[in-house]
Amino acid sequence: MIELEPFNPAYYKVLDHGYVRLCESLGDDLSIVRNARVSYDAAWRAGENEGSDTRLINYLMRNNHTTPFESVVFTFDIKAPIFVVRQWHRHRIGWSYNELSGRYKELEELYYVPKAEFIGVQSEDNKQMRTLAEETLSDPKNIRQFIDDHCRDSFRVYKGLIADGCPREIARSVLPLATYTHMFTTVNFKALMHFCTLRLHEHAQWEIRQYAAAMLQLVIPIIPVASRAYLETFKPPIELSVESW
Ligand SMILES: Cc1cc2nc3c(=O)[nH]c(=O)nc-3n(C[C@H](O)[C@H](O)[C@H](O)COP(=O)(O)OP(=O)(O)OC[C@H]3O[C@@H](n4cnc5c(N)ncnc54)[C@H](O)[C@@H]3O)c2cc1C
């Protein structure tokens, strides 16, 4: 069993019990230019002409010549609430997923309870969003406690059902969307950029934005030129920092 180090640079804690860990990667900035230069049958100039490699990557990004970015691939180990992973799995192209099965294994009693300052109130001008404003940063209605009590109760029922002989695949149906799940996902950089553009947007749910930011931060050291080109071209509208929990 590999113990995760909190300050391991290839690992970010996300939300109260989640994380994003970069397991492995294939390729780097040079893979992108090598793939692009086959278009005009040119030699790929390994490291000897950095300025031209950077210019090429910037050109590809600005002009949507995106297939060379598919040559860089990452595998992430993710722990996230089910409602986040449900949004994640809508991303079908360029992503592969393997997820923990509640049929094989009794699920760990681990669920997401938002911090008071990230609960906010229902937005009045956007039906899908919440508003996090200065005056909503506390939790006067004790929503955290309600969520915690309800999740704990759900797990009590879940465990009771299993103890009574109920099959795991049926018992799990009483668990809340806040329950943490675990997945491995493999994605190429083009698909990751698309995900980040949609899921770093201020209209995306705050929780999934944290995971998008963590993945982007983890790939920056591997493809610094392409990541900078992405950030400068698409300007994802949040600070690139993961909320520390
Ligand atoms: C803020 C926000 C709110 C959302 N709200 C909802 C909601 O209320 N309900 C809901 O159901 N979903 C919702 N979604 C999910 C959204 O509709 C997309 O399913 C999700 O963002 C994945 O995007 P995608 O299809 O571009 O990505 P991918 O599935 O990775 O596809 C990548 C690209 O491939 C192409 N492609 C993929 N499949 C097809 C296809 N079948 N036909 C043609 N082209 C294809 C498209 O160009 C697509 O952009 C929301 C997403 C966001 C970011």
Side-chain angles (χ1 to χ4, degrees), residues 87 90-95 128 191 194 198-199 201 203-205:
Q87 293 176 337
R90 299 303 306 276
H91 295 263
R92 301 155 287 179
I93 308 298
W95 291 84
Q128 68 185 340
H194 182 60
L198 293 174
R199 301 299 181 176
H201 192 275
H203 287 174
Q205 186 161 348

Side-chain angles (χ1 to χ4, degrees), residues 119-134:
I119 294 175
V121 290
Q122 182 61 44
S123 166
E124 285 177 4
D125 52 12
N126 186 319
K127 285 185 182 157
Q128 68 185 340
M129 285 177 62
R130 68 209 200 219
T131 299
L132 299 175
E134 198 63 41

Side-chain angles (χ1 to χ4, degrees), residues 32 157 167 204 210 224 241:
I32 297 166
V157 173
Q210 304 306 302
S241 64

Side-chain angles (χ1 to χ4, degrees), residues 22 24-35 57 68-75 187-189 218-224 226-227:
L22 179 60
E24 53 188 331
S25 65
L26 167 77
D28 55 19
D29 283 326
L30 264 181
S31 317
I32 297 166
V33 295
R34 191 168 58 218
N35 275 270
I57 287 179
F69 298 112
E70 295 170 23
S71 62
V72 185
V73 177
F74 305 97
T75 294
V187 60
N188 67 57
F189 185 54
L218 288 168
V219 306
I220 286 171
I222 296 166
I223 40 169
S227 315

Side-chain angles (χ1 to χ4, degrees), residues 33 35-43 45 52-53 56 59-60:
V33 295
N35 275 270
R37 286 197 172 115
V38 79
S39 303
Y40 42 96
D41 215 12
R45 290 157 293 197
S52 121
D53 291 347
L56 176 56
Y59 175 86
L60 296 170

Side-chain angles (χ1 to χ4, degrees), residues 12-15 115 117-118 206 210 213 241-245:
Y12 277 103
K13 274 192 76 167
V14 185
L15 309 185
K115 274 186 177 174
E117 61 263 44
F118 298 124
W206 183 86
Q210 304 306 302
S241 64
V242 186
E243 169 67 20
S244 64
W245 207 264

